Structures are given as structure tokens and as C-alpha cells.
Amino acid sequence: MNRDILRTLSLKGDHNIRVAILDGPVDIAHPCFQGYDLTVLPTLAPTAARSDGFMSAHGTHVASIIFGQPETSVPGIAPQCRGLIVPIFSDDRRRITQLDLARGIERAVNAGAHIINISGGELTDFGEADGWLENAVSLCRQNNVLLVAAAGNNGCDCLHVPAALPAVLAVGAMDERGHPLDFSNWGSTYEQQGILAPGEDILGAKPGGGTERLSGTSFATPIVSGVAALLLSEQVRRGETPDPQKVRQLLLQSALPCDDDAPEQARRCLAGRLNVSGAFTLLKGGNMSEELATASFPSVEASCGCNGGLVAAEPTTNSGSMPALSVSSFAGASPATMEAAGPLEPQPLPFPAQPLTQMPAQPLTQMPAPTQTLSMTTNQVTPSQAPSELANSQFAYVLGTLGYDFGTEARRDTFKQLMPPFDFAGNMVPANPYDARQMVDYLGNNISEARSLIWTVNIELTPVYAIDPTGPFASETYHALQELLSGQIQAEDNEEYVERVSIPGVLTNRSVKLFSGQVVPVVEPQSTRGLYGWKVNGLVNAALEAVRAEGGDAGEARIRQTLDGFLNRIYYDLRNLGTTSQDRALNFAVTNAFQAAQTFSQSVAAGMELDSVTVEKSPFCRLDSDCWDIKLKFFDPENNRRAKKIYRFTIDVSDLVPVTMGEVRSWSSSY
């Protein structure tokens, strides 16, 4: 990074701007962070850095590029901005799932981050991502959080996620001459939302003390994040509200083209090269061409230049069924060797100044607002959190299926010895603790043994939380879990068949390791309030009664189809972790049986089917509450000219268990 430009602009950042680093552990005791207070957020990964740890080296290096303090061995780009460290990788676990990454993104958004730096990603065929990650990126867009992610180091026309997802700013790596480095990825998506930044021999901190120079798109990414933080800080200084998405647009629009003498590298240049002075000129409302004509320094140059690099990660095996992010695909890994930089001082290597003809002035245009299924409107006046003994807790309202785990072979074998033989078609067979039917019977007679299991909430067979009932009502909660598990094993035509469950609780800072080796966070239900089993058969009967009461006529098959469609829409299309306010409101809407039956009965009786489900921040709410409007839109599949039917109800999620406010309102709409 051209630090002369930053010194000329006298920029160090504003403490009100928060930048989150999703990476490996960071050595916060390194001298370059002396006098600076980095906030480490608890996650599923260890927070303590190791001097010999690969991911500790990676995370510490990335963090120091942004937050290294002035007059230290690693002066950072935005040393006065507030740093949030969110460890997602550990030194003994270089691969994570997209679910783990989504958890980290949500953690950073909930902590108030303006910018999230992700120096990693997963190589994909077409830039596709799992629903978890797509939802997390959408959450950033809804909350106006800028997500900056590395383009990857595969050296091909290929895409990484999250870098290739909409509204993300992708970052590739270039050398001191402004040419794309051989290992830096490119692609058509990156040409619209990616820029190049210095990524060769970048100076950074080393765990345990000292410095080293490493190469990779991993280390180009925090340079862009740091510059974005300075642009947000400048907005604050000018009395403006920080606007991360506007900053993203400024960085893309001000990007410099690559040299004309290398036309074959045009596509590898992405949208262009990072142009610090041009971005600040656009921010201040100036003309970028005039800025270049009067500037006495180049727009971009490397922060250091010497031999060095980063060793590629050793391949590891991902035994899980979910996509994995790895350090080898993790964008910091260029095919080079990690070595200490020694006593060499950083030597800036400036790029040649671009001729004025290469920089046509471009008017600053507003980006179109993205279409969102789950939208959140901003109100000038918003209520505060409702006071309670759980006021400082993070709530979760999770929708999924119930499961159990043993954690270890010893615990599994203990159950196998204690459980009695099972009568199968008149034959007594040895107990099988993995058979949910046998486990339900055993727990029914020995409910105290439920405490020895690791209860889980699963989404599509993937455990996402462990359930640990606590407090004076823990025994009743275990009884409820046993009954819900009993409902899940019933035949689908049984009145007591439970298809899904909802679990409200407090999201703790604890985690538990399952038998498979997967680590999941722990949710603590406080009581049986809100524990609910979705019994579709019972809902169908309730809806039929409501239709008959109104003199309507709708068959059982149609009502069942519509109810299943609603549940599947939430469970598969809009699946979520149930921690944000809008997700908790959405999940609660599914489990409000009476409300759903009443709404569906009216629409199904009129021959309509579910079209869409949206969640919006409610403009009207009680004092000290957090209210969200759920809108269900129905359409006539046989007559597209018929007006849509919209039902709206408001849910308050300020307490552990959400509650519906008022009555269901409905109206017709042409769109």
C-alpha cells in the first residue's frame, strides 16, 4: 500500500468504525499491537495463538496489516479503527464448512462490524454457495456491512465463495508493477465486483514477535479492507453516516485499468487496480482525472518488496458431508515458502503513474437496491431491547429435527450395556442405541439418562446446535425432548407424527464435540416454553374445521399440500440459524399452529397457493420491543390475472420466546 498517500491524507481511521477479521487466531500480545485494544469474539475455534501455528501465523499477519500501530515494526493501514477478531480456523483445523463461516459472519454482524475481512474461501464450479453462506451474505447486505473476500490462489478462470457472491468485494493480488500475480484467480464475476491490490511480499507480524513477508490474495484482502475502513472514517469526519456499500462502489469505480502493453492480462485485472487517491476524490465529490493530473505520487504501490512467500497448506481430509473451506484454497496460500523477513526494512516499490488518457472521468452513480426475500427497513426511531434477566444474552429460536449423539465410544457402549434387549417380531435382539425407537422406550423408563446424551437440532441431517437444558426446569425439558423424539418416529399418517421441532434458548459461548468430530455451539433452553413439535396431521384437521366453519370447501389433500409447501419453504429455501431477530420471527411464524391453520384455511378454500414469505422490520411496536412483520402472499395458479392475497401478522422477538401481536390482517394486491 502506498503509505505516502495515507500520510499525505493524514488518515489513521476512526474508532467508531469496526473491522472484523474472520481468520485464524491472532497473537494480540505482539508488539505491533501495543497500546491497542483488539476485541476477540468467542467462537467455536480456539482464540489463543501459537507461535508455531500455521493459522496463527496467517491470522496475525492479516490483522497486523490493518491494525498494526504507528511507529512499530508493522504500521497498519487503519490503526485507529476498532478491530474485532473472530477466529474461524484453528492451527489443527485448516478446513471449515460453509456453515462455520456463516456462523462467523453472523457473529461479526451482530457485534456491529462495518467491514468483514475474509482472507479465504472455497473453490466452486460456478460461484455457487450453500444456503447457510448465502443467507449470511444477505444478512450483510441487509445491514449494510461490507464483506471483503479473497479471490483465491488457484491461478485459473475460477471462482471462490464468498468472493463471488453478490454484494461481496473480491480481491485479487498484483505485483509491484501492477500486473496480476500468476496464482491470483480471475473470472467474469470478478470483473464486475473485484479489484487487484498488492499481494506480493507483504510485511506483517509473526506470532511470538518479529515480522515476515508473505504473498497471496489473503494479504491483498486486508489492504483493501483497511482502505475501505479509512473511507468510512472519512465519511464520519465529514459528518456523514458511514455507508459501506457506497464505499464498495467507490473502490470499484475508481479502480485503475491494467497496462495496455499486456492486453492478454485484461481479464485477469478484474475490475481494475486499487486506486486510493481516486476513491477519496470520488468520496469528496471531485473529478478523478483532475486528481491524477495534479498528483505527485502514484495511485498504488506495494508496502514492501523482498523475497518471501507463504507455504501452501498441507492437504487435509474433510470427513464431513458439507462443503469445506481450506487454507490450501484459503486465499493466503501462494505456491511459495514461508520464511522470516529478517532485519530488512520495507522498501516501497512504486508503480509507474498512469497516463491521464487511461483514466476517463466517471460519474458516481447509485447502485440499484438488491432484491431481497428477507428485507429489513430502517426506522428513524427504534425501540430498545426489553429489560429482563436475559437482557445481555443472545437468543436462538431454531427450527429443525431432533437428534442425539453419544460424543464418545465409551458413552455409546454404556448405553448399549444398560438398554434391555429389544423385541423385534417376537425375537429378542441386542439393544441398538442408534435405534431411535429403542432409545425412546429406554428414556421413557429412565428419563434421568437423557442427561447423558448430547441432544442436537439438525437441519438436513446436519447437527447445527447441541441442546443442554439448564435451570430448575431442566427435568421437564428432558421429558419434552423425549416426547418430541417419540413423535418423530411415528408413522407419517399418525396423528402424533412430528415433522419438525422448534427449540428456543440462549446461545452460550460453549461448544461440544460430537462423535463424528464436528464441533457445534450449545443452546440452553430455559424451560419447556416454546418447545414445539410441528404436527402436520393435526394442522390439517384444524384447517379443515376452519374451512367448514366459514362455509368453504377445500379437500384435505390440497390443505396438506399447502401446509407442507409453507413448511418446506421455510425449512429448505429460507433455512437459517435462528439467531438474528428476523430469523427468529420467521421461524416462530412456522410454529404458530393456530395462526398458520387459520391463514391457510382461508386461502386454500379460495383455491390459492403460497407464493412468497417476507420479513420486514415493523414500523409500529410496543415500547422496549423488537417487532417484525411476517407477510404471506398467496396466488391463484390457474388464473394469473387474479389479485394476490396478502396476510400480515406482527411478531415481537424481544423475549426468549417470541409472541404474536394483534390479529392477522389481510388485503388484496395486484402484485
Side-chain angles (χ1 to χ4, degrees):
M1 194 63 256
N2 190 329
R3 301 187 189 279
D4 290 337
I5 295 179
L6 302 181
R7 292 192 189 100
T8 301
L9 297 174
S10 300
L11 296 173
K12 294 183 180 179
D14 188 282
H15 186 69
N16 294 312
I17 300 302
R18 292 175 290 275
V19 183
I21 304 294
L22 272 61
D23 212 288
V26 174
D27 180 11
I28 60 177
H30 192 281
C32 78
F33 300 123
Q34 185 175 2
Y36 183 70
D37 184 19
L38 284 172
T39 301
V40 181
L41 302 180
T43 63
L44 300 181
T47 59
R50 288 174 14 199
S51 60
D52 61 344
F54 182 90
M55 289 314 305
S56 293
H58 194 279
T60 302
H61 200 104
V62 168
S64 67
I65 293 173
I66 300 177
F67 305 120
Q69 294 301 288
E71 310 303 328
T72 66
S73 57
V74 186
I77 296 174
Q80 291 184 3
C81 289
R82 184 176 177 184
L84 306 175
I85 306 302
V86 186
I88 57 174
F89 288 87
S90 61
D91 292 314
D92 56 357
R93 186 174 178 232
R94 302 180 188 178
R95 292 176 179 266
I96 62 171
T97 65
Q98 292 187 23
L99 173 59
D100 294 326
L101 179 57
R103 291 188 199 274
I105 293 174
E106 286 195 6
R107 191 79 170 89
V109 172
N110 291 336
H114 296 91
I115 300 170
I116 299 177
N117 184 97
I118 301 178
S119 292
E122 180 184 356
L123 182 64
T124 63
D125 293 329
F126 308 104
E128 71 281 3
D130 189 81
W132 303 113
L133 187 54
E134 289 182 346
N135 288 343
V137 173
S138 295
L139 180 67
C140 291
R141 184 170 62 245
Q142 295 162 18
N143 289 274
N144 197 9
V145 176
L146 175 58
L147 206 162
V148 185
N153 298 327
N154 307 97
C156 60
D157 183 349
C158 49
L159 301 175
H160 269 220
V161 292
L165 295 179
V168 177
L169 181 59
V171 181
M174 62 183 178
D175 61 20
E176 70 275 5
R177 297 172 299 167
H179 295 163
L181 290 169
D182 291 339
F183 56 76
S184 184
N185 292 351
W186 68 94
S188 57
T189 300
Y190 292 158
E191 292 177 26
Q192 305 298 321
Q193 62 183 57
I195 58 176
L196 293 179
E200 186 176 46
D201 298 333
I202 304 301
L203 179 69
K206 181 180 180 181
T211 62
E212 56 189 349
R213 293 181 173 89
L214 305 177
S215 299
T217 55
S218 272
F219 311 113
T221 303
I223 290 176
V224 175
S225 295
V227 172
L230 294 181
L231 288 166
L232 290 176
S233 300
E234 177 65 12
Q235 288 182 319
V236 173
R237 190 189 69 81
R238 293 163 59 89
E240 302 173 5
T241 300
D243 189 346
Q245 289 303 318
K246 179 180 179 180
V247 165
R248 175 182 182 270
Q249 182 185 359
L250 293 173
L251 289 170
L252 289 171
Q253 190 166 344
S254 63
L256 293 166
C258 288
D259 295 337
D260 288 339
D261 59 356
E264 72 281 358
Q265 295 185 348
R267 293 192 63 217
R268 301 187 63 180
C269 192
L270 312 188
R273 298 185 289 118
L274 177 63
N275 179 10
V276 178
S277 59
F280 274 92
T281 299
L282 289 179
L283 177 65
K284 298 176 182 179
N287 184 296
M288 198 163 59
S289 294
E290 295 175 358
E291 173 72 13
L292 289 176
T294 59
S296 60
F297 42 77
S299 296
V300 183
E301 66 181 23
S303 61
C304 59
C306 65
N307 295 328
L310 179 66
V311 67
E314 298 177 1
T316 57
T317 302
N318 178 29
S319 59
S321 60
M322 298 187 64
L325 302 170
S326 66
V327 178
S328 52
S329 67
F330 199 64
S334 66
T337 303
M338 179 183 289
E339 60 183 7
L344 295 177
E345 296 296 328
Q347 299 294 325
L349 297 179
F351 297 123
Q354 299 296 321
L356 183 61
T357 55
Q358 292 187 356
M359 281 304 304
Q362 300 179 10
L364 181 60
T365 57
Q366 294 294 327
M367 295 179 64
T371 302
Q372 302 174 13
T373 302
L374 299 180
S375 60
M376 183 178 69
T377 59
T378 302
N379 302 313
Q380 291 183 334
V381 180
T382 57
S384 59
Q385 176 71 28
S388 72
E389 67 276 8
L390 300 174
N392 296 323
S393 302
Q394 182 177 356
F395 298 144
Y397 195 91
V398 192
L399 182 67
T401 57
L402 197 61
Y404 59 89
D405 195 276
F406 302 103
T408 64
E409 292 184 1
R411 182 61 57 86
R412 179 200 60 190
D413 293 343
T414 299
F415 272 91
K416 189 173 183 179
Q417 293 176 7
L418 293 175
M419 294 172 63
F422 185 68
D423 186 356
F424 181 75
N427 298 317
M428 302 303 293
V429 297
N432 179 8
Y434 289 106
D435 186 342
R437 296 169 300 175
Q438 298 184 41
M439 183 60 70
V440 165
D441 292 341
Y442 178 68
L443 295 179
N445 297 321
N446 304 273
I447 193 61
S448 61
E449 286 295 294
R451 185 71 178 85
S452 300
L453 293 173
I454 301 174
W455 293 84
T456 62
V457 182
N458 306 329
I459 298 182
E460 293 192 82
L461 302 180
T462 300
V464 292
Y465 292 107
I467 308 170
D468 185 17
T470 186
F473 301 102
S475 177
E476 288 83 350
T477 303
Y478 281 118
H479 272 286
L481 294 177
Q482 188 267 346
E483 292 176 358
L484 290 174
L485 184 62
S486 176
Q488 286 186 176
I489 64 175
Q490 303 301 320
E492 292 188 5
D493 58 353
N494 190 298
E495 186 75 15
E496 297 301 316
Y497 170 64
V498 173
E499 187 170 353
R500 300 286 187 271
V501 300
S502 64
I503 307 292
V506 175
L507 185 60
T508 70
N509 291 327
R510 297 186 293 116
S511 61
V512 64
K513 188 175 183 179
L514 303 181
F515 188 83
S516 64
Q518 181 184 355
V519 178
V520 294
V522 175
V523 169
E524 293 182 348
Q526 303 298 301
S527 68
T528 58
R529 289 182 61 232
L531 287 176
Y532 178 77
W534 183 275
K535 300 179 180 179
V536 176
N537 298 320
L539 282 179
V540 170
N541 293 334
L544 283 172
E545 292 179 3
V547 170
R548 297 189 184 102
E550 297 176 4
D553 183 21
E556 178 179 344
R558 169 171 283 185
I559 292 181
R560 181 180 296 276
Q561 179 182 358
T562 306
L563 284 171
D564 283 339
F566 175 49
L567 180 61
N568 289 334
R569 173 71 62 84
I570 304 297
Y571 188 70
Y572 294 108
D573 189 26
L574 302 178
R575 60 184 178 177
N576 58 76
L577 295 174
T579 56
T580 65
S581 294
Q582 54 265 51
D583 288 345
R584 293 174 60 229
L586 180 66
N587 291 349
F588 180 74
V590 182
T591 58
N592 192 327
F594 172 77
Q595 187 168 269
Q598 180 189 44
T599 302
F600 283 128
S601 64
Q602 299 171 0
S603 302
V604 174
M608 307 183 80
E609 295 185 4
L610 180 65
D611 178 39
S612 64
V613 183
T614 59
V615 184
E616 298 177 350
K617 183 71 174 176
S618 178
F620 304 103
C621 194
R622 299 176 296 199
L623 187 65
D624 296 328
S625 296
D626 185 9
C627 302
W628 296 80
D629 289 336
I630 309 294
K631 290 184 179 179
L632 308 179
K633 182 187 293 186
F634 291 83
F635 75 106
D636 188 341
E638 299 179 358
N639 182 6
N640 58 10
R641 301 182 62 183
R642 185 178 180 182
K644 307 293 192 300
K645 192 72 173 180
I646 299 177
Y647 296 87
R648 185 192 68 192
F649 46 94
T650 302
I651 295 177
D652 179 5
V653 298
S654 59
D655 200 4
L656 178 65
V657 179
V659 62
T660 303
M661 295 178 55
E663 300 178 354
V664 178
R665 304 296 180 182
S666 64
W667 63 90
S668 298
S669 174
S670 59
Y671 57 90

